[in-house]
Amino acid sequence: MSLNEAEWFTERFEDLTAFSVRFSQKLFAGKSPFQTIEVYETERLGRVLILEGCFMVTEADTFIYHEMLVHPAMNTVVSPRKALVIGGGDGGTVTEIVKYSTIESCVLCEIDPMVVDVCRTFFPSLSAGLNDPRVAIVHEDGAEFVKRFHRDFDVVFVDSTDPVGPGEVLFRKSFYESVKEALTTTGAAVFQTESPLFMRTVFANAVKNLRSVFGTHRVYPYLATIPSYPGGLWSFTYCSQSEQSPVETDKTLPRVLPPNLAYYNEAVHTAAFALPEFTAAMLAG
Amino acid sequence: MSLNEAEWFTERFEDLTAFSVRFSQKLFAGKSPFQTIEVYETERLGRVLILEGCFMVTEADTFIYHEMLVHPAMNTVVSPRKALVIGGGDGGTVTEIVKYSTIESCVLCEIDPMVVDVCRTFFPSLSAGLNDPRVAIVHEDGAEFVKRFHRDFDVVFVDSTDPVGPGEVLFRKSFYESVKEALTTTGAAVFQTESPLFMRTVFANAVKNLRSVFGTHRVYPYLATIPSYPGGLWSFTYCSQSEQSPVETDKTLPRVLPPNLAYYNEAVHTAAFALPEFTAAMLAG
């Protein structure tokens, strides 16, 4: 029995696999100059945000994605003060960043204002950090915006969509060079780099290009499970300006984690950088 | 556009989410006294084995499940000689076990002979270990079979389906007691214990009951990502008879890993036992 479209939302991935969720209500459907935007109410995954037909946020697992994008770098870079988020219009990344008292300013560069508006309305706790007085929001092309900066940010988080549509430029080598330039000499950037199981080529190419820009020994891919994303096993890549390794963090530094984290802790930090054999092999070539 | 059933196989989980794969061919459909069995040829996931409408094996990700069920215990228990597998008729678990030269005998107790026959035919490399001369196969109820043993096995792997149908008895406390009794005084058992994200109650109850049987400090849940299983983030639980912890393994022991592993290595071993905050919290109650 097939899934009734009046009750089920389905994301097809490359028309080879699909993930579906039963919804009780379609809360929003819109089309911005950049993409289609939908919000559904579901029992299993809570509210879900769909961009261009793809799961971007689910209330059930978004804590994994946002905590694992943000906290490994926040706990490696020493006293990060200035942060930049590129993409991330749902506000989840900013909400994690502003949990740290060292942060003095956080710029969110999201090309699509409709994403921000929709998430403020339908995901108030996820986007709560956007109301923090240290946060500034600009609606520009992230690849262009970051070119204006030179040694300005302690941490940069590239919270991109897949490398199609508006997210495509955020996987280019020229963009990686601009991000490196925008970092302070002790700074670090983290890029979401897709699934090493289902998007092997995209992942391997992203890491290869990041290595050519930052230097092989300053690039550290790491993993977490995001059930609503195709392939489930998801990668992020930490790239540092300095010699500070996120794997062997300085244990003499007192790290004060924000309270009420649901995924990240010190053991998870170290564990995330342990790559399975097949992933390490993909990156060895 | 809904997924055409002539081309897509769909597993619904609790009628709230669904995972689908496009297939090129249905290779087998049968019904044993225990369950329906199907095999499909797919582009993205390779061949897939479906039992009672649920993904059991996909060629794309089965290496993660079987390596992570088997190798953590094989590399904690000292020189395991005798192994028992309960369930696991696809042969994948046995195939990993017989990679170790210390193994003298391995008994597979699979209730359904049709699963073994189908997997020998359609998954020859996965089931290859079943042909090893050290392996004996019995087709009995695993919960009854294990009652005959007392301090006989160095390692027991409970490679069960979900706790419905024939797999239900393998989640009972009385079964856990029988497994403990069947282990040598230095032995250990590993149970697949479902998804801590999508099957929270089953997971938490399994760990709670295992703790009451083995003792809290001899029970170690650990995690891996299995994209084709509901919830993606999957748990296994290591339970030891002895005081030997799988987390702080004896580094003075020379561990010789089998060649050509695709997932497991020493770093992954340690990483798997690092529990995210929400998982640790579920087990703290």
Side-chain angles (χ1 to χ4, degrees):
Chain A
M1 200 173 62
S2 62
L3 306 170
N4 170 0
E5 286 173 67
E7 295 177 27
W8 290 80
F9 168 76
T10 294
E11 173 185 350
R12 293 187 188 209
F13 179 68
E14 294 182 349
D15 209 32
L16 294 174
T17 60
F19 180 62
S20 310
V21 63
R22 181 194 280 278
F23 61 87
S24 57
Q25 208 182 341
K26 188 166 188 170
L27 297 170
F28 179 83
K31 193 164 170 51
S32 77
F34 304 100
Q35 55 206 336
T36 60
I37 304 175
E38 296 160 275
V39 179
Y40 295 91
E41 188 80 68
T42 82
E43 182 177 337
R44 166 62 63 188
L45 304 178
R47 287 190 178 175
V48 304
L49 171 70
I50 308 294
L51 300 183
E52 285 289 279
C54 297
F55 284 89
M56 281 299 122
V57 168
T58 85
E59 285 183 336
D61 69 18
T62 195
F63 71 98
I64 306 176
Y65 176 82
H66 288 112
E67 289 191 19
M68 290 306 285
L69 180 68
V70 169
H71 297 297
M74 293 300 290
N75 287 287
T76 302
V77 173
V78 178
S79 298
R81 296 184 302 119
K82 295 187 173 183
L84 169 63
V85 178
I86 295 171
D90 55 65
T93 298
V94 167
T95 298
E96 295 306 315
I97 292 169
V98 298
K99 289 178 177 175
Y100 290 85
S101 60
T102 60
I103 289 291
E104 295 166 4
S105 70
C106 178
V107 177
L108 175 74
C109 181
E110 162 62 55
I111 199 167
D112 192 345
M114 192 187 280
V115 171
V116 176
D117 290 343
V118 166
C119 291
R120 281 190 192 273
T121 304
F122 294 104
F123 299 88
S125 70
L126 180 70
S127 59
L130 298 176
N131 301 321
D132 190 284
R134 295 167 291 175
V135 174
I137 304 176
V138 294
H139 296 299
E140 293 187 36
D141 176 308
E144 289 300 316
F145 181 76
V146 73
K147 285 183 188 168
R148 294 187 214 151
F149 299 93
H150 173 76
R151 305 274 174 267
D152 283 305
F153 295 103
D154 301 301
V155 281
V156 174
F157 298 97
V158 181
D159 187 0
S160 64
T161 56
D162 298 331
V164 287
E168 190 270 330
V169 294
L170 306 184
F171 283 80
R172 288 187 195 158
K173 200 167 156 184
S174 56
F175 171 67
Y176 299 158
E177 284 162 351
S178 302
V179 170
K180 183 174 191 291
E181 184 68 21
L183 287 171
T184 61
T185 54
T186 57
V190 180
F191 302 79
Q192 86 81 0
T193 43
E194 308 283 296
S195 169
L197 273 171
F198 277 21
M199 299 103 162
R200 292 184 175 222
T201 308
V202 174
F203 166 68
N205 282 344
V207 174
K208 184 181 162 197
N209 286 331
L210 287 166
R211 282 174 169 172
S212 78
V213 170
F214 284 88
T216 299
H217 299 293
R218 292 173 179 180
V219 172
Y220 300 84
Y222 64 94
L223 303 173
T225 307
I226 321 284
S228 62
Y229 287 1
L233 184 69
W234 209 257
S235 77
F236 307 86
T237 303
Y238 175 99
C239 301
S240 65
Q241 263 309 17
S242 74
E243 297 295 327
Q244 179 64 57
S245 157
V247 183
E248 292 154 14
T249 53
D250 186 347
K251 298 294 183 192
T252 63
L253 284 171
R255 296 289 179 191
V256 182
L257 292 187
N260 303 322
L261 297 185
Y263 195 87
Y264 181 85
N265 58 39
E266 200 177 327
V268 163
H269 176 114
T270 305
F273 290 93
L275 299 184
E277 284 297 283
F278 81 98
T279 309
M282 285 162 64
L283 303 179
Chain B
M1 198 174 62
S2 62
L3 306 171
N4 170 0
E5 285 174 68
E7 295 175 27
W8 291 80
F9 167 77
T10 294
E11 172 185 351
R12 292 187 189 210
F13 179 68
E14 294 181 349
D15 210 32
L16 294 174
T17 61
F19 180 62
S20 309
V21 64
R22 181 194 281 277
F23 61 87
S24 57
Q25 209 182 339
K26 188 167 189 170
L27 296 171
F28 179 83
K31 193 166 168 51
S32 78
F34 304 98
Q35 55 206 337
T36 59
I37 303 175
E38 297 160 274
V39 179
Y40 296 92
E41 189 79 69
T42 81
E43 182 177 336
R44 165 63 63 189
L45 303 178
R47 286 190 179 175
V48 305
L49 172 71
I50 308 295
L51 299 183
E52 287 288 281
C54 297
F55 284 90
M56 280 299 123
V57 168
T58 85
E59 286 183 335
D61 69 19
T62 195
F63 71 99
I64 305 176
Y65 177 82
H66 289 111
E67 289 191 18
M68 291 305 286
L69 180 68
V70 169
H71 297 298
M74 293 300 289
N75 287 287
T76 302
V77 172
V78 178
S79 300
R81 296 183 303 118
K82 295 187 174 185
L84 170 63
V85 178
I86 295 171
D90 55 64
T93 298
V94 167
T95 298
E96 295 306 316
I97 292 169
V98 298
K99 289 178 178 175
Y100 290 85
S101 60
T102 60
I103 289 292
E104 296 168 3
S105 71
C106 178
V107 177
L108 175 74
C109 181
E110 161 62 55
I111 200 167
D112 192 346
M114 193 186 280
V115 172
V116 176
D117 290 344
V118 166
C119 291
R120 281 189 192 274
T121 303
F122 294 104
F123 298 87
S125 71
L126 181 70
S127 60
L130 298 176
N131 302 320
D132 190 284
R134 296 167 290 176
V135 174
I137 303 176
V138 294
H139 296 299
E140 293 187 35
D141 177 308
E144 289 301 316
F145 181 77
V146 74
K147 285 183 188 166
R148 293 186 214 152
F149 299 92
H150 173 76
R151 306 273 173 266
D152 283 306
F153 295 104
D154 302 300
V155 281
V156 174
F157 297 96
V158 181
D159 187 1
S160 63
T161 55
D162 299 332
V164 287
E168 190 269 330
V169 294
L170 306 183
F171 283 80
R172 288 188 195 158
K173 198 166 156 184
S174 57
F175 171 66
Y176 299 157
E177 283 162 351
S178 303
V179 170
K180 183 174 190 293
E181 185 67 22
L183 286 172
T184 62
T185 54
T186 56
V190 180
F191 302 79
Q192 85 81 1
T193 43
E194 307 284 296
S195 170
L197 273 170
F198 277 21
M199 300 104 164
R200 292 184 175 222
T201 308
V202 175
F203 166 68
N205 282 344
V207 173
K208 183 182 163 195
N209 287 331
L210 288 167
R211 282 175 170 171
S212 79
V213 170
F214 284 87
T216 299
H217 298 294
R218 292 174 180 180
V219 172
Y220 300 84
Y222 63 94
L223 303 172
T225 308
I226 321 283
S228 62
Y229 288 0
L233 184 69
W234 209 257
S235 77
F236 307 86
T237 302
Y238 176 99
C239 301
S240 64
Q241 250 331 0
S242 74
E243 298 295 327
Q244 178 64 57
S245 157
V247 183
E248 291 154 14
T249 54
D250 186 346
K251 299 293 183 194
T252 63
L253 284 172
R255 297 289 180 191
V256 181
L257 293 186
N260 303 322
L261 297 184
Y263 196 87
Y264 180 85
N265 57 39
E266 199 177 328
V268 163
H269 176 114
T270 305
F273 290 92
L275 299 184
E277 284 297 283
F278 81 99
T279 309
M282 284 162 65
L283 303 179

